[in-house]
Amino acid sequence: MAAIEIEHLTKDFYAGFWRKRPIRALDGLSLRVEAGEIFGFLGPNGAGKTTTLKLLMNLIRPTAGSARILGQPVDSVSMRRNIGYLPENPYFYDHLTPEELLTYIGTLFGIRQPVLRKKILELLETVGLAEARKLQLRKFSKGMVQRVGIAQALINDPEVVFLDEPMSGLDPLGRREVRLVISSLRTRGATVFFSSHILPDVEALCDRVAIMNRGKLLELGALLDILKVKIQGHEIILAHVQPAVLEALRPMCEEITLMSDRVHIRAATSRQAGAIVSQAVSGGAELVSVNPIRASLEEYFFQEVQKS
Amino acid sequence: MKILTIGRNTFRENIRDKILYNLILFALLMILSSIALGQLTLGHEAKVIVDLGLGSISIFGTLIAIFIGISLVYKELEKRTVYALLAKPIHRWEFITGKYLGLLFTLLVNVAIMAAGLMLTLLYQGGIERYTYLNLLPAIYLTLLSLMVTTALALVFSTFSTPALSALFTFFLWVAGHFNADLLEFGNLAKTPGLKWLTRVFYYVIPNISNFKVIDSRNVIQAAAYFEPINYAALGWVTVYGILYSGILLGIAVLIFSRRDFK
Ligand SMILES: Nc1ncnc2c1ncn2[C@@H]1O[C@H](COP(=O)(O)OP(=O)(O)O)[C@@H](O)[C@H]1O
Ligand SMILES: [Mg+2]
C-alpha cells in the first residue's frame, strides 16, 4: 500500500474584494509516495507546497481531485492517529511550556500518563529543548518554536510524517539535528514527506523528490537524475603551472581563468578533466582541486522559470 | 474525553490571561463599594448590596464572556495554533465544543468568586436574614445560564468574524435581548401583518436575556413577605430555554467551523 496517494489534486483560492478572481495554487497534482520513503517536495516560494500539505491535512478542501493517506481519505480522523504534521512557520499556545503543550497533544492521542511522560522527555532531548522544557513558549525564539513543532509532530510515533519547511528558522547546527531526526525516522521505517527549497538538506536525505513550480509538478524522481541532465563539467584548480604547459593544455579546455598564482579550468566531460589533470601534473603543476559543476536547485528553478 | 482535554486547555489559557483578573478585581471593588452606598439608604442596606452585587456579577460575567468568547476561536486562527491541532485525531466539533466548555468553566469559577465576594460583603454588613444567602443561589444560577447564552453568541461570531465585529454583534444582541419582550408587545399592537410577523421572528431569534432576570433583590430579600418568593417553575423553563438556545448556537458555530478553509 502506498503511504500517500494524490490524484489530480487542484486548489483555487479566491482573491480580490469586489470581483473574486480564482488563483490556481495547485494544478492537477498526481503522485504516490511509497511506505518507508523519504520524499522531498521542492519548489520556489509560491509553488504550491504549503497548499498541498494543507490539503493533505484536510485544513483546506480541494477544488478538484482527491488524496489518500495510508489508504484512508484525508478527512478520516482515525487515520490521523498515525500521522504527524509540522505546519509552515508553526506557532503554538504561548501560555504553555513545551512540556505542557506536548502533554496536551499527547492526551489528544490518548497516550497514557507514564508512557507520555517518558516520551516527552525523550523527544525534548532529541530536539534539543530539554533545558527549556519549563519555559513558556512566549519566551522562545523562532528556531526553538520550530523544534517544539517537530517534537509535537512526532509525539505519537507516526507512520507518516509531513513536515512543511522543517529547516526554516534553524541555524546550521539545528539543521543538522533535524537531518538526524529525519534519518532516524527512516531507520524506524516511517515515511517522511517534507517540503523544502534548501538543496543540501534535500540531497542528503531524500530517496525521491518532486519539483513544483506555480502549482504544477515539473519533475519527479531521484534528485541527482533530475539535476544531472542540466549541467555537466568539472572545475579544475591548478597551481604552479608553467606557461608552456598551460599553452599545451589550452586546446583541451572549455575555459581558462588565471587568478593570481592559480589557474581555474573548466572541462566539458570527466574524461577530458582526467586528461587535463594528468598532463598538467606530469608537467610539474600542482593539483589543488577537482569539482563537478552541478546546477543548484536555485539555478534549476531559475532556468525553469525563464522557460515558462 | 478529547473534548474535556481541549476544555481544560482553554480554561488554562483563560486563567493565564490578565484581562480576567482585571475584570474580577473591578467586580469585587464594585461589590465592596455597595457597603458605602448602602449606608446612604437607611434601612435598605441589604437591598442595595444585593442589587449591586447581582448586577456586578451579571455585568462583569457578561464582559468576561464577550471579551474572552470573541477571541476564543479567532485567536487560534490568527495565531495559526489551529493548524497543528486540527491535524490531530480530533473532530472539528470536538474542538469547538471543548473551547466552549472551557470558557463556561472559566465563567463558573469567576462567578463563584464574585458570589463569594457578595456573600462576604453581606456578612460584613451583618443583620441579614439567613435565607437571603440561600436565596442568592437561584439568582446566581440564572446569571450563569444567561452567560451560557452570551458565550455561545460570541462563539458563533468568533468562528467567522474579527474580535471587534464579534464584540459589536454580541453586545448588540445582548442589549436587544433585554427589550425582546417589548418588541413582541409592539408587534402585537401593530396593524400590518408583515410587521407582526417580523417582530415575532425577531422575538424567537434574538436571545431573551430578560428571561434570566426573573429573580431580583425583592425575591431574594423579602422571601418571608411573599408566599412564593422564587418561582421555581419559571426557573425550570428558563433552564430549558437557556440550554436549547445555547445548544442551537453551538450547533451553528460547529457548522460554520466545520465547513471553513484554514488558509
Ligand atoms: N489563502 C490564500 N489566498 C489566496 N492565495 C493563496 C492563499 N494561500 C496561498 N495562495 C497562493 O497560492 C500559491 C501557492 O502558495 P503556497 O502553497 O503557500 O506556496 P509554497 O508553500 O510552495 O511557497 C501562491 O501563489 C499563493 O499566493
Ligand atoms: Mg510554503
Side-chain angles (χ1 to χ4, degrees):
Chain A
M1 183 184 63
I4 306 164
E5 297 154 275
I6 299 175
E7 271 166 31
H8 308 299
L9 205 57
T10 299
K11 178 69 184 178
D12 290 341
F13 286 114
Y14 293 87
F17 194 76
W18 293 114
R19 288 185 61 197
K20 303 244 169 194
R21 285 184 295 114
I23 295 175
R24 186 143 289 191
L26 190 64
D27 195 356
L29 174 68
S30 295
L31 63 88
R32 245 175 102 88
V33 177
E34 299 302 326
E37 254 192 298
I38 308 288
F39 191 89
F41 198 52
L42 315 179
N45 287 332
K49 306 182 294 292
T50 299
T51 302
T52 307
L53 279 157
K54 281 189 184 172
L55 285 164
L56 288 170
M57 293 304 111
N58 196 36
L59 291 169
I60 53 179
R61 309 290 162 51
T63 306
S66 66
R68 297 171 84 78
I69 300 171
L70 295 167
Q72 304 278 318
V74 292
D75 61 359
S76 155
V77 168
S78 64
M79 170 271 288
R80 286 189 222 139
R81 281 187 180 292
N82 303 315
I83 65 169
Y85 170 53
L86 168 74
E88 182 177 40
N89 303 323
Y91 196 91
F92 303 100
Y93 306 98
D94 55 14
H95 65 282
L96 297 182
T97 68
E99 225 171 25
E100 289 170 334
L101 177 77
L102 293 176
T103 307
Y104 175 35
I105 288 176
T107 312
L108 290 177
F109 277 104
I111 307 172
R112 303 215 172 255
Q113 253 316 305
V115 182
L116 184 58
R117 255 193 119 62
K118 207 167 136 265
K119 181 82 205 163
I120 288 172
L121 287 177
E122 205 179 287
L123 268 175
L124 288 176
E125 196 72 51
T126 311
V127 298
L129 285 178
E131 252 117 78
R133 67 179 197 275
K134 298 215 183 288
L135 207 63
Q136 283 196 0
L137 289 174
R138 72 174 87 244
K139 301 190 178 115
F140 274 35
S141 70
K142 188 168 182 295
M144 287 163 90
V145 175
Q146 185 79 7
R147 289 157 190 258
V148 175
I150 291 167
Q152 64 81 34
L154 302 178
I155 189 96
N156 55 325
D157 289 323
E159 282 176 56
V160 189
V161 186
F162 298 86
L163 307 169
D164 199 349
E165 310 264 3
M167 319 283 184
S168 83
L170 294 177
D171 53 19
L173 191 70
R175 301 236 289 264
R176 207 179 83 92
E177 284 170 358
V178 173
R179 278 207 290 272
L180 287 176
V181 170
I182 295 179
S183 313
S184 73
L185 286 171
R186 181 211 298 272
T187 321
R188 220 191 61 208
T191 312
V192 181
F193 183 97
F194 78 94
S195 78
S196 179
H197 56 253
I198 303 172
L199 184 62
D201 296 334
V202 179
E203 216 171 7
L205 289 167
C206 294
D207 301 310
R208 281 196 310 146
V209 301
I211 298 185
M212 302 284 297
N213 192 28
R214 300 188 182 199
K216 287 205 172 76
L217 178 66
L218 293 185
E219 308 245 18
L220 182 66
L223 182 67
L224 288 184
D225 288 345
I226 294 171
L227 294 184
K228 213 178 278 167
V229 197
K230 304 301 165 191
I231 294 183
Q232 298 102 348
H234 286 78
E235 188 195 44
I236 304 159
I237 302 177
L238 300 167
H240 311 304
V241 188
Q242 302 301 320
V245 177
L246 191 60
E247 278 318 304
L249 291 176
R250 206 173 277 280
M252 290 190 275
C253 303
E254 288 277 295
E255 192 184 305
I256 295 182
T257 318
L258 296 173
M259 282 179 162
S260 62
D261 60 334
R262 307 237 160 136
V263 182
H264 290 231
I265 294 171
R266 196 153 69 81
T269 64
S270 55
R271 172 186 291 251
Q272 219 157 28
I276 293 169
V277 169
S278 65
Q279 192 165 335
V281 171
S282 61
E286 186 193 326
L287 178 63
V288 178
S289 68
V290 181
N291 281 306
I293 303 169
R294 214 161 44 203
S296 70
L297 207 50
E298 285 74 18
E299 281 174 68
Y300 174 80
F301 288 146
F302 189 68
Q303 286 175 10
E304 287 302 323
V305 171
Q306 294 230 307
K307 259 191 255 166
S308 59
Chain B
M1 206 31 234
K2 289 176 196 165
I3 295 175
L4 293 185
T5 306
I6 294 165
R8 198 172 333 127
N9 188 56
T10 306
F11 176 68
R12 183 161 51 181
E13 182 184 346
N14 294 161
I15 59 172
R16 290 184 186 177
D17 197 338
K18 279 198 198 76
I19 199 175
L20 191 67
Y21 296 99
N22 291 332
L23 287 172
I24 292 193
L25 195 71
F26 257 103
L28 290 177
L29 283 177
M30 282 281 279
I31 293 169
L32 265 179
S33 71
S34 65
I35 296 179
L37 277 175
Q39 318 245 285
L40 302 177
T41 59
L42 266 146
H44 294 286
E45 291 92 346
K47 182 175 166 14
V48 170
I49 295 174
V50 169
D51 271 339
L52 237 118
L54 287 178
S56 298
I57 293 174
S58 167
I59 299 271
F60 283 94
T62 304
L63 284 180
I64 294 172
I66 294 181
F67 273 119
I68 299 184
I70 51 172
S71 57
L72 206 53
V73 175
Y74 185 82
K75 208 159 91 190
E76 297 248 2
L77 298 176
E78 172 81 67
K79 297 203 160 178
R80 307 191 313 274
T81 46
V82 79
Y83 293 133
L85 209 69
L86 289 180
K88 307 299 176 225
I90 56 172
H91 293 277
R92 289 193 184 180
W93 67 263
E94 289 175 314
F95 178 79
I96 288 293
T97 311
K99 294 240 92 176
Y100 180 60
L101 291 183
L103 179 49
L104 282 192
F105 190 69
T106 307
L107 286 166
L108 182 73
V109 171
N110 286 313
V111 167
I113 292 171
M114 292 190 275
L118 171 56
M119 289 190 184
L120 285 177
T121 307
L122 281 173
L123 210 62
Y124 173 85
Q125 175 64 34
I128 309 261
E129 301 279 2
R130 206 168 281 158
Y131 58 74
T132 304
Y133 295 96
L134 213 60
N135 283 349
L136 277 175
L137 293 180
I140 290 165
Y141 167 74
L142 282 179
T143 305
L144 274 172
L145 274 179
S146 86
L147 294 181
M148 190 164 95
V149 170
T150 312
T151 307
L153 269 179
L155 178 71
V156 168
F157 291 122
S158 101
T159 56
F160 66 88
S161 156
T162 62
L165 279 180
S166 302
L168 205 68
F169 292 145
T170 310
F171 186 69
F172 174 78
L173 282 177
W174 183 80
V175 171
H178 284 88
F179 303 106
N180 214 346
D182 301 334
L183 189 71
L184 191 67
E185 200 100 331
F186 169 75
N188 286 339
L189 293 177
K191 297 273 180 335
T192 37
L195 199 59
K196 205 170 239 171
W197 185 81
L198 199 69
T199 51
R200 194 154 278 275
V201 168
F202 274 122
Y203 176 73
Y204 286 112
V205 171
I206 295 174
N208 230 321
I209 301 288
S210 45
N211 265 353
F212 301 106
K213 312 266 169 193
V214 291
I215 299 175
D216 65 16
S217 60
R218 268 178 318 159
N219 309 117
V220 173
I221 294 168
Q222 303 172 345
Y226 290 78
F227 183 61
E228 194 180 21
I230 288 170
N231 184 346
Y232 284 98
L235 213 63
W237 277 117
V238 175
T239 303
V240 171
Y241 175 79
I243 290 174
L244 258 178
Y245 197 91
S246 317
I248 291 171
L249 287 178
L250 184 62
I252 294 172
V254 164
L255 215 65
I256 297 173
F257 191 73
S258 300
R259 282 155 175 268
R260 65 169 296 167
D261 265 9
F262 298 105
K263 305 194 215 189

